[in-house]
Amino acid sequence: MEWGWGKTLFKGDKYLWIIIIVLIVASVMLVYSSSSRLAYDKQHGDLTYYILRHSFFLVLSIVVLVVTCKIEPMRFAQFSIVGLIVGVATVWAVLFIGKDINGSSRWISIGAFSFQPSEIAKVALVVFVAKVLALHTKNPKEAFWPIIIASALVCFPILIENLSTALLIGTTIFLMMIIGCVPTRYILGIVTSVVLVGVVLLYLPGQFQPKRFETWKGRIERFMNEDEEGVQSKGKNYQALQAELAVANGGVFGVGPGKSYAKNFLPMAFSDFIYSIILEEYGWVGGFVAVALYFFILYRAMVISRRCEKAFQAYLVLGLSILIVLQAIINMSVGVGIIPVTGQTLPLLSMGGTSNVLMSFALGIILSISAYNPGRKAKSSVVSSETSRIEQQRVSRDVEFGDDDE
């Protein structure tokens, strides 16, 4: 769907563009508010240090969006193998040359530039899985092993340093296989295998466990072992406690933009706990709006997928939207204390260079697919009059990567 004055620049679903613009504008306000105190302390009083850095990546993200939404969707299928190879190579490379930040090696540095390979790998894997599912629409069980092998190559090295990201990727692929009608016994096999691996890791000797296993275990134990004897007996993670105080302080309507108290104590207020800042400054009303925006992305993706003429495009739209929304749910759940601290950012709202650029790339793909599959309402009267003839031709031609069998 091309729309209004921006039809030559902004291609794709106009409602999705509106959501993206709202998120980007809100991100500037939220990151400036949540990072100003840290900038004052760490950057010699320069309150604009973090917001300028964040704004640079937001501009880059917009460029990526605009460029990506103009690419013909099947190009992503053609380069899916290349993308997967790059993703797998970089997540394995981080184990050997990764930069250690906050006790974990998740970044690769090239000069002054650092990036998270897991962000590249998770988008590349979704594109690859969409292609495999589309190639096997008539016999979905044949897609199982290619997907499992590719997922293992991506998730295993990520799991060593970043459990939450590995689970996010694994859950997304799991849901894509359900959508792709992979047989139930195969799906149950995955669930059983994951449970068994978890049990084995729990009872392995310490020297054979991932180096961050004790960190994961400690976070879960502190989260589960709560009582009413005070903060010290709870053993709560310091950030989680400050986040809860922020949520309680916000109430229904919040304390107002820029007036957060918790930002003075939350070290990662501008990224991992930005939803807590939203709830403190804008209250539960603002928090509900944020949740609604992400679920509206999922809704628009479902609408777009129904218009797709090719199975690959439908699977890809759903897979990428699930990835984005799941990440948002994880971040927001941490912010309100539903799950233990994970380290996932809130897409397009949190400060995060690699994450925002790759999430923008994913959204750009969805916009591209929506532009090339506008649906009946967007067609001209001339085209609409020829719908029957086009449908007949479509039945007789070979549709790349599988037709939807309805």
Side-chain angles (χ1 to χ4, degrees):
M1 182 187 300
E2 298 183 7
W3 49 286
W5 60 268
K7 66 180 182 180
T8 60
L9 185 62
F10 303 107
K11 284 192 172 185
D13 187 84
K14 65 179 180 181
Y15 302 106
L16 192 54
W17 269 111
I18 291 171
I19 298 171
I20 292 169
I21 292 170
V22 170
L23 289 173
I24 289 174
V25 172
S27 178
V28 174
M29 299 167 56
L30 289 166
V31 170
Y32 179 71
S33 172
S34 58
S35 66
S36 56
R37 176 57 185 267
L38 182 65
Y40 182 84
D41 293 339
K42 300 291 186 180
Q43 303 300 328
H44 310 290
D46 182 4
L47 299 181
T48 64
Y49 177 83
Y50 291 109
I51 189 59
L52 288 177
R53 182 177 182 275
H54 179 59
S55 297
F56 167 78
F57 281 105
L58 285 181
V59 171
L60 181 58
S61 297
I62 293 171
V63 172
V64 169
L65 273 166
V66 172
V67 172
T68 307
C69 74
K70 296 177 182 295
I71 299 174
E72 201 279 323
M74 299 313 293
R75 296 290 183 187
F76 301 114
Q78 294 170 4
F79 289 95
S80 61
I81 298 295
V82 174
L84 182 64
I85 292 173
V86 171
V88 170
T90 52
V91 293
W92 281 93
V94 80
L95 298 179
F96 304 98
I97 61 173
K99 182 179 180 181
D100 198 314
I101 299 177
N102 295 328
S104 63
S105 297
R106 302 178 186 177
W107 290 262
I108 289 179
S109 295
I110 302 175
F113 174 71
S114 297
F115 69 96
Q116 282 188 280
S118 61
E119 299 295 330
I120 299 173
K122 66 187 182 184
V123 175
L125 180 61
V126 169
V127 177
F128 175 80
V129 170
K131 178 179 178 178
V132 172
L133 288 172
L135 284 169
H136 298 93
T137 51
K138 298 187 184 302
N139 194 3
K141 69 179 182 180
E142 293 183 0
F144 179 76
W145 282 112
I147 292 174
I148 290 299
I149 293 171
S151 299
L153 288 173
V154 169
C155 290
F156 179 75
I158 294 175
L159 174 66
I160 295 174
E161 294 287 347
N162 192 344
L163 174 63
S164 62
T165 298
L167 291 176
L168 168 64
I169 297 171
T171 304
T172 301
I173 302 307
F174 177 80
L175 293 174
M176 288 183 71
M177 285 194 288
I178 292 176
I179 293 170
C181 298
V182 173
T184 304
R185 65 180 183 277
Y186 288 69
I187 302 295
L188 293 176
I190 296 174
V191 175
T192 304
S193 300
V194 170
V195 172
L196 289 175
V197 169
V199 172
V200 170
L201 283 175
L202 186 62
Y203 290 99
L204 276 177
Q207 63 269 29
F208 297 108
Q209 293 174 341
K211 71 177 185 179
R212 288 182 58 80
F213 184 80
E214 288 302 320
T215 301
W216 308 334
K217 184 178 177 182
R219 287 178 176 177
I220 294 173
E221 287 177 347
R222 287 193 296 271
F223 179 79
M224 298 297 295
N225 298 329
E226 296 188 3
D227 53 39
E228 299 179 357
E229 298 178 9
V231 173
Q232 294 299 325
S233 64
K234 289 183 180 181
K236 273 192 167 297
N237 177 281
Y238 172 78
Q239 289 181 308
L241 175 61
Q242 295 301 324
E244 288 184 7
L245 293 175
V247 173
N249 189 39
V252 177
F253 298 105
V255 297
K259 297 180 180 180
S260 167
Y261 180 74
K263 68 182 180 183
N264 299 319
F265 304 97
L266 269 171
M268 304 301 289
F270 50 78
S271 58
D272 300 357
F273 288 92
I274 200 164
Y275 189 63
S276 302
I277 303 301
I278 294 174
L279 290 171
E280 184 178 17
E281 294 190 349
Y282 300 92
W284 286 104
V285 173
F288 175 79
V289 171
V291 172
L293 287 173
Y294 287 106
F295 276 95
F296 197 69
I297 289 175
L298 183 61
Y299 167 73
R300 292 310 303 172
M302 293 171 65
V303 171
I304 294 166
S305 69
R306 292 176 61 186
R307 296 173 180 168
C308 291
E309 295 184 355
K310 297 182 179 179
F312 165 73
Q313 297 175 18
Y315 288 135
L316 185 54
V317 166
L318 292 174
L320 291 175
S321 62
I322 288 170
L323 178 68
I324 294 167
V325 175
L326 271 181
Q327 182 169 321
I329 291 173
I330 291 171
N331 177 279
M332 292 185 288
S333 298
V334 170
V336 297
I338 295 177
I339 62 175
V341 178
T342 62
Q344 294 296 322
T345 59
L346 194 55
L348 290 187
L349 276 180
S350 296
M351 188 171 81
T354 312
S355 176
N356 283 335
V357 171
L358 267 297
M359 287 296 100
S360 296
F361 179 65
L363 287 166
I365 294 175
I366 296 174
L367 288 167
S368 167
I369 293 172
S370 70
Y372 282 84
N373 295 273
R376 293 181 184 273
K377 290 183 180 180
K379 295 178 181 179
S380 66
S381 58
V382 175
V383 175
S384 297
S385 67
E386 298 183 356
T387 298
S388 178
R389 179 179 61 82
I390 293 174
E391 289 298 325
Q392 291 175 358
Q393 291 178 348
R394 178 178 166 226
V395 171
S396 63
R397 73 174 185 257
D398 292 326
V399 180
E400 190 173 9
F401 302 131
D403 260 332
D404 297 324
D405 293 324
E406 297 181 330

